[in-house]
Amino acid sequence: MNALEIKNLTKSFDDFKLDNLNLTLPGGCIMGLIGENGAGKSTVIKLILDIIHKDGGSITILGKNNEENINITKEDVGVVLDEVGIPECLNTEQVGKIMRYTFKNWNDKEYDKIIKKLSLPKNKPFGEFSRGMKMKLGIAIAMSHNSKLLLLDEATNGLDPVVRDEVIDMFIDYTRDENHSILISSHIVSDLEKICDYIAFLHKGKLLLCEEKDRLLSEYCMIHYSIDQADRPDDKYIKFKKISPYGIEAVIKRNMVPHGMSVSPVSIEELFVFMVKGDGE
Amino acid sequence: MMKGLFLKDYYMMIKYCKSFLIILIGFTFLSLLSKDNLFFLFYPCMISAMLPVTLLGYDEKSKWNEYVGTLPYKKTIIVNEKYLFGLCVQLGVFILIAIICAVRMNISSNFVWKDYMVLISMVFVLSFISSSISQPFIYKFGVEKGRIAYYILIGVVCAGSALASTIYGSISNVFVNFGLPVMCVGSVLLYVLSWYLSVRFYNKREYGF
C-alpha cells in the first residue's frame, strides 16, 4: 500500500500557487521533498493534514482520503512542523502527559527513551529551548505514538551535526519496518541524500522532478567542457547546464555522453541547484 | 477524548493566569469590605469569562492553534474543550461569588433572600453574557480582530444595560421586571448559541487562525 498519494493537488494564495502536484510515496520508503525557501514544501505538508484546505485534487494517506475522518488517520501520522507549536510554559514531562491523553497509541516508555537519547531536559519550559531542542521535542512526540507515517517539515534544521546524524539514524531505523514511511522536507539536501529512497524537487509551487534517488544518481552525470569544444554533446541531450567564464557545466544522461568525454558523478544537491538556477527543462 | 486539551489549558492557566487568581482573591476580600459597590463582585466574573479568549491568544502566540491540526482532534472537539474549560472556571468563580455574597449580606445583617437571588442572578447573567459574546468572534475573525469585535460588543451591552437601568430605575429592577428565571435561562441559551456558532465558524476555518 502506498503511504501517500497526491493527485493534481492545487492551492492558490495571493502571491503563490501550488500547481497540479502529483506525488506517490510507497510504503516503507523515505521521500525527500527538496525546495528553496518558499517553494511550497510546508504548504504541501499542511495540505496533506488538511490544516489548510486544498483548492483541487485528491490526497490519500495510508489508503484513506484525507477529507474523511482525518482525525482518525492522524493517530497513525507523526508530524513535525517547521515551528513546533508547543505552548512556551510547558516542559517535556507535561507535554508527555498531554500527549498520553491525545494519542490512543501513545507510548510513554518510547517517549522517555527518545527524550533521554536526545538529551532533552525534563523540567525546562519549552519557551527556553533552542530551535534545535524544539525540533528534538517535536521529533520525540512524532515518534512516540506508533505512527506509520512521519511528515517532517524541515525537522533536521537547527540541529547540530552530531545530533542531526543521530536523528537521521533514528529515521533510518524507523523505516526498517516496511509499514513505516517518511516524507521529509528540507533545503539541507545533504541530509536527504543520506536517507531518502525517493527525491522530489519542488520549485515555485511546481514539481520539477520526482524520482528514485539511486536511479537519479546512476542515470545522470556531470560533464565539463569549454564553449568552443569540438566534441561537445548536442544541447538536446543536456538536462541542465550552467555557463561560466571557465566553461560549461552540464548534467546529462550517462548514455548521451560523447565517447571519450570524462564525466563526474552528480550529487542531489548539484542537481537541485542546476534545476533551480541552471537552464533546465 | 479532550482530556489532553483540558490538561494543556489547565497547565497554561496555572502558569499564565496567576494574576487572575490574585485579582479574584483581592476583589473577593474588597467586596466583603465594600457594602454597596458591586463592581468588586462583577469584575472577577468578567475576567473569568475572558479566560478562554486569553488562552486562545496564548495558543496563537505559541502556534499551538496550527500544531493542534496535526493531532487527532476533530475541530468540534477543540471548540468544545475551550467552552467546557471556560464553563468550569466560570461556574467555580460564580459559586465562590455566590458564597461571598451570602457572607457579605450576613455580615451586614441584612440578608434578604429575594435581594440575594437578584444579586447572584445578575452575576450569573453577566458572566454568561461576557463569555458568550467573546468566543464566536475569535473563531470567526481570529484572535486580534475577534478581540476588537468583543470590546465593541461589550460597549454595546454596557450601553444597553445603562439604558435599561435608566428606564427601569436600576439594573436590579430590570431583572425583577423580566423575571430572574427568564434572565438566567436567556443567558444560558445565549451561551449555547455562542457555542454552536463557534463550532460552525471553526469548522469552516483553516487551522492557525
Side-chain angles (χ1 to χ4, degrees):
Chain A
M1 182 177 70
N2 288 325
L4 197 59
E5 282 177 26
I6 298 175
K7 285 179 187 161
N8 306 319
L9 182 64
T10 51
K11 172 77 179 174
S12 293
F13 298 96
D14 291 341
D15 52 352
F16 173 79
K17 186 181 181 190
L18 188 74
D19 201 7
N20 220 26
L21 184 84
N22 288 284
L23 269 184
T24 300
L25 170 61
C29 293
I30 305 179
M31 178 181 279
L33 195 56
I34 300 173
E36 77 279 14
N37 292 329
K41 306 183 293 294
S42 301
T43 303
V44 172
I45 287 177
K46 285 173 188 170
L47 284 166
I48 292 169
L49 292 161
D50 204 30
I51 291 176
I52 53 175
H53 306 313
K54 59 182 183 270
D55 295 336
S58 68
I59 300 169
T60 310
I61 313 170
L62 301 166
K64 294 167 211 156
N65 187 319
N66 85 328
E67 285 178 331
E68 293 161 15
N69 295 322
I70 182 130
N71 58 309
I72 297 170
T73 311
K74 282 174 186 172
E75 290 278 0
D76 294 325
V77 183
V79 185
V80 181
L81 295 179
D82 58 345
E83 281 193 74
V84 183
I86 301 292
E88 292 184 351
C89 65
L90 301 181
N91 59 40
T92 51
E93 212 169 337
Q94 290 170 329
V95 170
K97 283 180 188 166
I98 291 166
M99 295 304 161
R100 186 191 301 157
Y101 296 117
T102 295
F103 291 100
K104 283 180 187 151
N105 296 323
W106 181 256
N107 186 335
D108 276 323
K109 278 184 186 166
E110 185 66 19
Y111 179 70
D112 289 341
K113 197 177 97 185
I114 299 174
I115 291 290
K116 212 171 172 184
K117 191 174 180 181
L118 297 176
S119 312
L120 282 170
K122 276 201 163 178
N123 296 314
K124 196 174 179 177
F126 184 75
E128 291 175 22
F129 279 19
S130 65
R131 177 170 165 85
M133 287 162 85
K134 286 178 179 174
M135 288 328 247
K136 284 187 204 175
L137 182 58
I139 291 165
I141 297 167
M143 298 187 79
S144 299
H145 56 95
N146 297 320
S147 53
K148 295 187 180 100
L149 170 67
L150 289 184
L151 299 176
L152 309 170
D153 190 10
E154 309 277 0
T156 54
N157 292 10
L159 302 179
D160 65 66
V162 178
V163 177
R164 216 158 70 199
D165 206 54
E166 210 168 337
V167 166
I168 283 171
D169 283 343
M170 283 166 66
F171 294 156
I172 293 169
D173 272 348
Y174 173 83
T175 48
R176 286 196 202 290
D177 184 330
E178 60 181 20
N179 294 316
H180 288 175
S181 316
I182 300 178
L183 177 71
I184 176 168
S185 83
S186 182
H187 55 261
I188 305 175
V189 184
S190 54
D191 282 352
L192 303 187
E193 193 160 358
K194 273 188 212 166
I195 57 168
C196 292
D197 304 298
Y198 288 82
I199 295 286
F201 287 147
L202 203 58
H203 177 54
K204 291 181 181 170
K206 283 190 175 158
L207 189 70
L208 296 183
L209 183 143
C210 183
E211 194 72 77
E212 248 181 281
K213 182 189 74 183
D214 291 341
R215 197 172 150 196
L216 208 58
L217 295 179
S218 65
E219 208 166 83
Y220 293 97
C221 65
M222 181 89 85
I223 53 171
H224 303 258
Y225 55 94
S226 59
I227 295 169
D228 52 0
Q229 193 166 319
D231 59 344
R232 54 188 289 177
D234 194 322
D235 268 0
K236 68 181 178 190
Y237 300 128
I238 303 278
K239 187 85 175 162
F240 314 104
K241 71 177 177 187
K242 202 161 69 184
I243 302 166
S244 73
Y246 308 105
I248 297 171
E249 273 185 306
V251 174
I252 187 170
K253 280 197 171 182
R254 279 184 190 272
N255 56 0
M256 296 300 171
V257 178
H259 192 68
M261 186 175 247
S262 64
V263 298
S264 56
V266 64
S267 68
I268 297 295
E269 184 146 5
E270 284 168 328
L271 259 178
F272 173 58
V273 174
F274 265 83
M275 274 195 179
V276 174
K277 289 180 76 179
D279 182 21
E281 283 176 349
Chain B
M1 187 56 208
M2 62 176 78
K3 206 171 168 185
L5 294 173
F6 226 84
L7 193 60
K8 179 224 133 220
D9 276 346
Y10 169 74
Y11 287 141
M12 285 174 71
M13 184 185 75
I14 295 296
K15 182 71 185 174
Y16 293 131
C17 304
K18 274 181 193 159
S19 53
F20 162 67
L21 293 173
I22 293 165
I23 290 171
L24 184 66
I25 293 163
F27 276 52
T28 306
F29 181 70
L30 285 171
S31 72
L32 286 172
L33 297 177
S34 160
K35 272 186 184 176
D36 302 319
N37 200 339
L38 294 176
F39 174 75
F40 295 119
L41 285 176
F42 291 160
Y43 193 62
C45 284
M46 291 191 69
I47 294 192
S48 68
M50 281 296 283
L51 188 76
V53 177
T54 308
L55 293 175
L56 281 166
Y58 281 111
D59 284 351
E60 186 187 57
K61 191 176 165 236
S62 64
K63 302 237 167 170
W64 169 268
N65 55 359
E66 195 169 272
Y67 186 68
V68 77
T70 72
L71 304 177
Y73 290 114
K74 281 184 180 173
K75 282 182 171 175
T76 304
I77 295 285
I78 294 168
V79 178
N80 287 352
E81 183 275 332
K82 275 283 185 287
Y83 269 81
L84 280 175
F85 189 83
L87 193 62
C88 288
V89 175
Q90 204 175 306
L91 287 177
V93 171
F94 170 73
I95 289 166
L96 189 72
I97 286 174
I99 294 167
I100 289 161
C101 282
V103 173
R104 190 167 167 261
M105 284 178 155
N106 273 312
I107 288 173
S108 55
S109 312
N110 60 353
F111 187 91
V112 180
W113 183 248
K114 195 184 162 195
D115 290 351
Y116 176 71
M117 286 307 290
V118 170
L119 192 60
I120 61 163
S121 297
M122 282 161 67
V123 172
F124 184 88
V125 170
L126 181 75
S127 57
F128 267 86
I129 287 179
S130 303
S131 54
S132 298
I133 59 179
S134 59
Q135 291 192 71
F137 290 107
I138 304 277
Y139 289 110
K140 176 76 179 170
F141 302 113
V143 174
E144 260 332 294
K145 286 181 189 167
R147 202 172 277 170
I148 293 166
Y150 170 74
Y151 290 135
I152 292 169
L153 207 61
I154 277 286
V156 172
V157 170
C158 289
S161 306
L163 184 69
S165 58
T166 311
I167 295 166
Y168 290 94
S170 73
I171 196 76
S172 54
N173 283 345
V174 179
F175 277 71
V176 173
N177 271 289
F178 279 95
L180 302 184
V182 172
M183 295 297 280
C184 291
V185 170
S187 65
V188 171
L189 287 177
L190 185 69
Y191 192 76
V192 173
L193 177 68
S194 156
W195 195 329
Y196 169 77
L197 287 175
S198 291
V199 169
R200 252 180 93 92
F201 292 151
Y202 194 54
N203 272 313
K204 282 186 183 167
R205 269 182 87 88
E206 293 179 338
Y207 287 94
F209 34 74

mmCIF file of all heavy atoms in Angstrom, chain B residues 107-142:
data_model
loop_
_atom_site.group_PDB
_atom_site.id
_atom_site.type_symbol
_atom_site.label_atom_id
_atom_site.label_comp_id
_atom_site.label_asym_id
_atom_site.label_seq_id
_atom_site.Cartn_x
_atom_site.Cartn_y
_atom_site.Cartn_z
ATOM 1 N N ILE B 107 -22.901 39.488 57.143
ATOM 2 C CA ILE B 107 -22.059 40.380 57.948
ATOM 3 C C ILE B 107 -22.803 41.681 58.215
ATOM 4 O O ILE B 107 -22.816 42.190 59.339
ATOM 5 C CB ILE B 107 -20.699 40.646 57.233
ATOM 6 C CG1 ILE B 107 -19.828 39.393 57.294
ATOM 7 C CG2 ILE B 107 -19.960 41.834 57.868
ATOM 8 C CD1 ILE B 107 -18.555 39.485 56.479
ATOM 9 N N SER B 108 -23.441 42.202 57.151
ATOM 10 C CA SER B 108 -24.144 43.478 57.315
ATOM 11 C C SER B 108 -25.554 43.280 57.913
ATOM 12 O O SER B 108 -26.329 44.226 57.988
ATOM 13 C CB SER B 108 -24.214 44.217 55.980
ATOM 14 O OG SER B 108 -24.818 43.371 55.025
ATOM 15 N N SER B 109 -25.852 42.024 58.313
ATOM 16 C CA SER B 109 -27.112 41.667 58.990
ATOM 17 C C SER B 109 -28.368 42.048 58.209
ATOM 18 O O SER B 109 -29.389 42.371 58.798
ATOM 19 C CB SER B 109 -27.192 42.308 60.384
ATOM 20 O OG SER B 109 -26.040 42.100 61.091
ATOM 21 N N ASN B 110 -28.264 42.098 56.898
ATOM 22 C CA ASN B 110 -29.495 42.381 56.140
ATOM 23 C C ASN B 110 -29.693 41.351 55.019
ATOM 24 O O ASN B 110 -29.907 41.707 53.871
ATOM 25 C CB ASN B 110 -29.500 43.821 55.587
ATOM 26 C CG ASN B 110 -28.330 44.077 54.664
ATOM 27 O OD1 ASN B 110 -27.455 43.228 54.554
ATOM 28 N ND2 ASN B 110 -28.326 45.215 54.003
ATOM 29 N N PHE B 111 -29.568 40.079 55.399
ATOM 30 C CA PHE B 111 -29.752 39.018 54.397
ATOM 31 C C PHE B 111 -31.237 38.886 54.049
ATOM 32 O O PHE B 111 -32.053 38.514 54.889
ATOM 33 C CB PHE B 111 -29.217 37.675 54.920
ATOM 34 C CG PHE B 111 -29.239 36.609 53.869
ATOM 35 C CD1 PHE B 111 -28.140 36.399 53.065
ATOM 36 C CD2 PHE B 111 -30.372 35.823 53.661
ATOM 37 C CE1 PHE B 111 -28.158 35.429 52.074
ATOM 38 C CE2 PHE B 111 -30.400 34.859 52.666
ATOM 39 C CZ PHE B 111 -29.283 34.658 51.878
ATOM 40 N N VAL B 112 -31.546 39.264 52.822
ATOM 41 C CA VAL B 112 -32.919 39.096 52.334
ATOM 42 C C VAL B 112 -32.840 38.163 51.134
ATOM 43 O O VAL B 112 -32.091 38.431 50.192
ATOM 44 C CB VAL B 112 -33.534 40.460 51.908
ATOM 45 C CG1 VAL B 112 -34.965 40.274 51.404
ATOM 46 C CG2 VAL B 112 -33.486 41.438 53.068
ATOM 47 N N TRP B 113 -33.557 37.084 51.221
ATOM 48 C CA TRP B 113 -33.448 36.031 50.203
ATOM 49 C C TRP B 113 -33.681 36.574 48.781
ATOM 50 O O TRP B 113 -32.932 36.267 47.861
ATOM 51 C CB TRP B 113 -34.453 34.914 50.536
ATOM 52 C CG TRP B 113 -34.363 33.742 49.585
ATOM 53 C CD1 TRP B 113 -35.282 33.360 48.681
ATOM 54 C CD2 TRP B 113 -33.265 32.842 49.451
ATOM 55 N NE1 TRP B 113 -34.843 32.277 47.985
ATOM 56 C CE2 TRP B 113 -33.592 31.927 48.436
ATOM 57 C CE3 TRP B 113 -32.012 32.711 50.093
ATOM 58 C CZ2 TRP B 113 -32.753 30.898 48.051
ATOM 59 C CZ3 TRP B 113 -31.166 31.683 49.699
ATOM 60 C CH2 TRP B 113 -31.534 30.799 48.699
ATOM 61 N N LYS B 114 -34.708 37.448 48.633
ATOM 62 C CA LYS B 114 -35.037 37.967 47.311
ATOM 63 C C LYS B 114 -33.889 38.830 46.755
ATOM 64 O O LYS B 114 -33.497 38.692 45.590
ATOM 65 C CB LYS B 114 -36.318 38.807 47.407
ATOM 66 C CG LYS B 114 -36.942 39.094 46.057
ATOM 67 C CD LYS B 114 -38.135 40.006 46.189
ATOM 68 C CE LYS B 114 -38.445 40.626 44.845
ATOM 69 N NZ LYS B 114 -39.354 41.762 44.976
ATOM 70 N N ASP B 115 -33.347 39.704 47.641
ATOM 71 C CA ASP B 115 -32.228 40.563 47.194
ATOM 72 C C ASP B 115 -31.014 39.715 46.803
ATOM 73 O O ASP B 115 -30.311 40.007 45.837
ATOM 74 C CB ASP B 115 -31.825 41.528 48.321
ATOM 75 C CG ASP B 115 -32.883 42.570 48.558
ATOM 76 O OD1 ASP B 115 -33.827 42.641 47.746
ATOM 77 O OD2 ASP B 115 -32.787 43.305 49.570
ATOM 78 N N TYR B 116 -30.822 38.659 47.628
ATOM 79 C CA TYR B 116 -29.692 37.763 47.357
ATOM 80 C C TYR B 116 -29.845 37.102 45.983
ATOM 81 O O TYR B 116 -28.908 37.063 45.182
ATOM 82 C CB TYR B 116 -29.611 36.701 48.459
ATOM 83 C CG TYR B 116 -28.529 35.668 48.223
ATOM 84 C CD1 TYR B 116 -27.183 35.997 48.349
ATOM 85 C CD2 TYR B 116 -28.844 34.349 47.875
ATOM 86 C CE1 TYR B 116 -26.192 35.046 48.129
ATOM 87 C CE2 TYR B 116 -27.863 33.400 47.650
ATOM 88 C CZ TYR B 116 -26.530 33.757 47.782
ATOM 89 O OH TYR B 116 -25.560 32.827 47.547
ATOM 90 N N MET B 117 -31.045 36.633 45.688
ATOM 91 C CA MET B 117 -31.293 35.958 44.401
ATOM 92 C C MET B 117 -31.102 36.932 43.228
ATOM 93 O O MET B 117 -30.560 36.571 42.188
ATOM 94 C CB MET B 117 -32.714 35.375 44.362
ATOM 95 C CG MET B 117 -32.888 34.123 45.203
ATOM 96 S SD MET B 117 -31.683 32.835 44.854
ATOM 97 C CE MET B 117 -32.193 32.308 43.238
ATOM 98 N N VAL B 118 -31.550 38.174 43.416
ATOM 99 C CA VAL B 118 -31.372 39.180 42.351
ATOM 100 C C VAL B 118 -29.885 39.410 42.103
ATOM 101 O O VAL B 118 -29.418 39.421 40.954
ATOM 102 C CB VAL B 118 -32.069 40.525 42.736
ATOM 103 C CG1 VAL B 118 -31.679 41.626 41.753
ATOM 104 C CG2 VAL B 118 -33.577 40.353 42.768
ATOM 105 N N LEU B 119 -29.142 39.538 43.208
ATOM 106 C CA LEU B 119 -27.703 39.824 43.085
ATOM 107 C C LEU B 119 -26.954 38.690 42.376
ATOM 108 O O LEU B 119 -26.204 38.931 41.424
ATOM 109 C CB LEU B 119 -27.124 40.065 44.485
ATOM 110 C CG LEU B 119 -25.720 40.638 44.533
ATOM 111 C CD1 LEU B 119 -25.657 41.987 43.825
ATOM 112 C CD2 LEU B 119 -25.247 40.781 45.975
ATOM 113 N N ILE B 120 -27.192 37.458 42.830
ATOM 114 C CA ILE B 120 -26.423 36.371 42.196
ATOM 115 C C ILE B 120 -26.925 36.077 40.773
ATOM 116 O O ILE B 120 -26.167 35.620 39.929
ATOM 117 C CB ILE B 120 -26.349 35.067 43.046
ATOM 118 C CG1 ILE B 120 -27.719 34.490 43.291
ATOM 119 C CG2 ILE B 120 -25.575 35.269 44.328
ATOM 120 C CD1 ILE B 120 -27.651 33.037 43.749
ATOM 121 N N SER B 121 -28.199 36.391 40.506
ATOM 122 C CA SER B 121 -28.688 36.253 39.122
ATOM 123 C C SER B 121 -27.960 37.234 38.217
ATOM 124 O O SER B 121 -27.602 36.909 37.075
ATOM 125 C CB SER B 121 -30.188 36.529 39.051
ATOM 126 O OG SER B 121 -30.879 35.592 39.800
ATOM 127 N N MET B 122 -27.749 38.437 38.735
ATOM 128 C CA MET B 122 -27.022 39.444 37.943
ATOM 129 C C MET B 122 -25.601 38.967 37.649
ATOM 130 O O MET B 122 -25.112 39.099 36.526
ATOM 131 C CB MET B 122 -26.984 40.785 38.697
ATOM 132 C CG MET B 122 -28.296 41.558 38.603
ATOM 133 S SD MET B 122 -28.473 42.818 39.870
ATOM 134 C CE MET B 122 -27.216 43.969 39.399
ATOM 135 N N VAL B 123 -24.967 38.401 38.674
ATOM 136 C CA VAL B 123 -23.594 37.883 38.489
ATOM 137 C C VAL B 123 -23.603 36.757 37.446
ATOM 138 O O VAL B 123 -22.769 36.718 36.541
ATOM 139 C CB VAL B 123 -23.022 37.368 39.845
ATOM 140 C CG1 VAL B 123 -21.705 36.653 39.630
ATOM 141 C CG2 VAL B 123 -22.848 38.517 40.815
ATOM 142 N N PHE B 124 -24.568 35.857 37.588
ATOM 143 C CA PHE B 124 -24.699 34.702 36.686
ATOM 144 C C PHE B 124 -24.883 35.168 35.228
ATOM 145 O O PHE B 124 -24.174 34.732 34.315
ATOM 146 C CB PHE B 124 -25.911 33.867 37.136
ATOM 147 C CG PHE B 124 -26.117 32.604 36.352
ATOM 148 C CD1 PHE B 124 -25.487 31.429 36.717
ATOM 149 C CD2 PHE B 124 -26.966 32.575 35.247
ATOM 150 C CE1 PHE B 124 -25.686 30.262 36.005
ATOM 151 C CE2 PHE B 124 -27.158 31.414 34.523
ATOM 152 C CZ PHE B 124 -26.523 30.247 34.905
ATOM 153 N N VAL B 125 -25.828 36.071 35.031
ATOM 154 C CA VAL B 125 -26.135 36.550 33.675
ATOM 155 C C VAL B 125 -24.939 37.294 33.085
ATOM 156 O O VAL B 125 -24.569 37.085 31.921
ATOM 157 C CB VAL B 125 -27.398 37.451 33.704
ATOM 158 C CG1 VAL B 125 -27.591 38.168 32.369
ATOM 159 C CG2 VAL B 125 -28.623 36.626 34.033
ATOM 160 N N LEU B 126 -24.327 38.126 33.899
ATOM 161 C CA LEU B 126 -23.179 38.904 33.416
ATOM 162 C C LEU B 126 -22.050 37.991 32.940
ATOM 163 O O LEU B 126 -21.480 38.192 31.858
ATOM 164 C CB LEU B 126 -22.667 39.831 34.524
ATOM 165 C CG LEU B 126 -21.492 40.703 34.102
ATOM 166 C CD1 LEU B 126 -21.972 41.830 33.198
ATOM 167 C CD2 LEU B 126 -20.763 41.280 35.306
ATOM 168 N N SER B 127 -21.744 36.963 33.745
ATOM 169 C CA SER B 127 -20.626 36.103 33.349
ATOM 170 C C SER B 127 -20.972 35.288 32.094
ATOM 171 O O SER B 127 -20.118 35.098 31.227
ATOM 172 C CB SER B 127 -20.171 35.203 34.494
ATOM 173 O OG SER B 127 -21.237 34.428 34.940
ATOM 174 N N PHE B 128 -22.224 34.853 31.972
ATOM 175 C CA PHE B 128 -22.600 34.084 30.786
ATOM 176 C C PHE B 128 -22.641 34.963 29.523
ATOM 177 O O PHE B 128 -22.218 34.525 28.456
ATOM 178 C CB PHE B 128 -23.957 33.380 30.995
ATOM 179 C CG PHE B 128 -23.793 31.992 31.523
ATOM 180 C CD1 PHE B 128 -23.682 31.768 32.888
ATOM 181 C CD2 PHE B 128 -23.706 30.915 30.670
ATOM 182 C CE1 PHE B 128 -23.502 30.487 33.384
ATOM 183 C CE2 PHE B 128 -23.525 29.635 31.155
ATOM 184 C CZ PHE B 128 -23.417 29.422 32.522
ATOM 185 N N ILE B 129 -23.134 36.211 29.692
ATOM 186 C CA ILE B 129 -23.169 37.105 28.512
ATOM 187 C C ILE B 129 -21.751 37.414 28.047
ATOM 188 O O ILE B 129 -21.439 37.347 26.859
ATOM 189 C CB ILE B 129 -23.944 38.407 28.841
ATOM 190 C CG1 ILE B 129 -25.439 38.111 28.936
ATOM 191 C CG2 ILE B 129 -23.714 39.474 27.773
ATOM 192 C CD1 ILE B 129 -26.305 39.308 29.269
ATOM 193 N N SER B 130 -20.859 37.709 29.023
ATOM 194 C CA SER B 130 -19.464 38.054 28.653
ATOM 195 C C SER B 130 -18.813 36.919 27.886
ATOM 196 O O SER B 130 -18.184 37.133 26.849
ATOM 197 C CB SER B 130 -18.634 38.335 29.908
ATOM 198 O OG SER B 130 -19.222 39.345 30.646
ATOM 199 N N SER B 131 -18.938 35.683 28.409
ATOM 200 C CA SER B 131 -18.249 34.569 27.738
ATOM 201 C C SER B 131 -18.941 34.197 26.423
ATOM 202 O O SER B 131 -18.297 33.733 25.495
ATOM 203 C CB SER B 131 -18.159 33.358 28.666
ATOM 204 O OG SER B 131 -19.431 33.030 29.127
ATOM 205 N N SER B 132 -20.258 34.438 26.357
ATOM 206 C CA SER B 132 -20.977 34.086 25.122
ATOM 207 C C SER B 132 -20.538 34.943 23.947
ATOM 208 O O SER B 132 -20.422 34.457 22.822
ATOM 209 C CB SER B 132 -22.486 34.274 25.312
ATOM 210 O OG SER B 132 -22.951 33.431 26.296
ATOM 211 N N ILE B 133 -20.300 36.216 24.214
ATOM 212 C CA ILE B 133 -20.010 37.093 23.077
ATOM 213 C C ILE B 133 -18.526 37.141 22.732
ATOM 214 O O ILE B 133 -18.158 37.656 21.695
ATOM 215 C CB ILE B 133 -20.567 38.526 23.273
ATOM 216 C CG1 ILE B 133 -19.989 39.164 24.521
ATOM 217 C CG2 ILE B 133 -22.063 38.528 23.299
ATOM 218 C CD1 ILE B 133 -20.484 40.583 24.742
ATOM 219 N N SER B 134 -17.680 36.572 23.592
ATOM 220 C CA SER B 134 -16.243 36.684 23.289
ATOM 221 C C SER B 134 -15.774 35.673 22.233
ATOM 222 O O SER B 134 -15.107 36.036 21.267
ATOM 223 C CB SER B 134 -15.427 36.515 24.569
ATOM 224 O OG SER B 134 -15.694 35.264 25.139
ATOM 225 N N GLN B 135 -16.172 34.404 22.405
ATOM 226 C CA GLN B 135 -15.528 33.363 21.589
ATOM 227 C C GLN B 135 -15.924 33.285 20.109
ATOM 228 O O GLN B 135 -15.052 33.085 19.265
ATOM 229 C CB GLN B 135 -15.698 32.004 22.264
ATOM 230 C CG GLN B 135 -14.895 31.917 23.552
ATOM 231 C CD GLN B 135 -14.805 30.513 24.078
ATOM 232 O OE1 GLN B 135 -14.138 29.675 23.515
ATOM 233 N NE2 GLN B 135 -15.477 30.250 25.175
ATOM 234 N N PRO B 136 -17.210 33.436 19.764
ATOM 235 C CA PRO B 136 -17.542 33.287 18.334
ATOM 236 C C PRO B 136 -16.748 34.243 17.440
ATOM 237 O O PRO B 136 -16.359 33.866 16.328
ATOM 238 C CB PRO B 136 -19.040 33.616 18.279
ATOM 239 C CG PRO B 136 -19.538 33.348 19.640
ATOM 240 C CD PRO B 136 -18.419 33.681 20.565
ATOM 241 N N PHE B 137 -16.488 35.446 17.943
ATOM 242 C CA PHE B 137 -15.725 36.410 17.136
ATOM 243 C C PHE B 137 -14.301 35.922 16.885
ATOM 244 O O PHE B 137 -13.743 36.125 15.817
ATOM 245 C CB PHE B 137 -15.682 37.780 17.829
ATOM 246 C CG PHE B 137 -17.007 38.463 17.835
ATOM 247 C CD1 PHE B 137 -17.746 38.573 18.999
ATOM 248 C CD2 PHE B 137 -17.545 38.980 16.667
ATOM 249 C CE1 PHE B 137 -18.988 39.193 19.003
ATOM 250 C CE2 PHE B 137 -18.777 39.594 16.653
ATOM 251 C CZ PHE B 137 -19.500 39.703 17.829
ATOM 252 N N ILE B 138 -13.715 35.291 17.920
ATOM 253 C CA ILE B 138 -12.346 34.771 17.771
ATOM 254 C C ILE B 138 -12.336 33.677 16.699
ATOM 255 O O ILE B 138 -11.462 33.647 15.831
ATOM 256 C CB ILE B 138 -11.842 34.167 19.101
ATOM 257 C CG1 ILE B 138 -11.929 35.199 20.221
ATOM 258 C CG2 ILE B 138 -10.441 33.588 18.940
ATOM 259 C CD1 ILE B 138 -10.825 36.156 20.349
ATOM 260 N N TYR B 139 -13.313 32.779 16.767
ATOM 261 C CA TYR B 139 -13.343 31.670 15.811
ATOM 262 C C TYR B 139 -13.719 32.138 14.399
ATOM 263 O O TYR B 139 -13.382 31.492 13.423
ATOM 264 C CB TYR B 139 -14.304 30.572 16.285
ATOM 265 C CG TYR B 139 -13.766 29.821 17.477
ATOM 266 C CD1 TYR B 139 -14.341 29.952 18.741
ATOM 267 C CD2 TYR B 139 -12.643 29.009 17.370
ATOM 268 C CE1 TYR B 139 -13.831 29.286 19.841
ATOM 269 C CE2 TYR B 139 -12.124 28.344 18.463
ATOM 270 C CZ TYR B 139 -12.716 28.483 19.691
ATOM 271 O OH TYR B 139 -12.198 27.823 20.781
ATOM 272 N N LYS B 140 -14.392 33.275 14.338
ATOM 273 C CA LYS B 140 -14.764 33.792 13.020
ATOM 274 C C LYS B 140 -13.644 34.650 12.421
ATOM 275 O O LYS B 140 -13.272 34.490 11.257
ATOM 276 C CB LYS B 140 -16.058 34.614 13.165
ATOM 277 C CG LYS B 140 -16.534 35.303 11.897
ATOM 278 C CD LYS B 140 -17.182 34.332 10.931
ATOM 279 C CE LYS B 140 -17.669 35.022 9.674
ATOM 280 N NZ LYS B 140 -18.085 34.080 8.657
ATOM 281 N N PHE B 141 -13.111 35.568 13.236
ATOM 282 C CA PHE B 141 -12.179 36.567 12.689
ATOM 283 C C PHE B 141 -10.721 36.377 13.116
ATOM 284 O O PHE B 141 -9.851 37.090 12.643
ATOM 285 C CB PHE B 141 -12.607 37.982 13.111
ATOM 286 C CG PHE B 141 -13.996 38.356 12.681
ATOM 287 C CD1 PHE B 141 -15.004 38.552 13.605
ATOM 288 C CD2 PHE B 141 -14.303 38.507 11.337
ATOM 289 C CE1 PHE B 141 -16.289 38.894 13.223
ATOM 290 C CE2 PHE B 141 -15.583 38.851 10.940
ATOM 291 C CZ PHE B 141 -16.582 39.039 11.874
ATOM 292 N N GLY B 142 -10.456 35.460 14.053
ATOM 293 C CA GLY B 142 -9.104 35.342 14.582
ATOM 294 C C GLY B 142 -8.995 36.131 15.875
ATOM 295 O O GLY B 142 -9.889 36.913 16.213
#
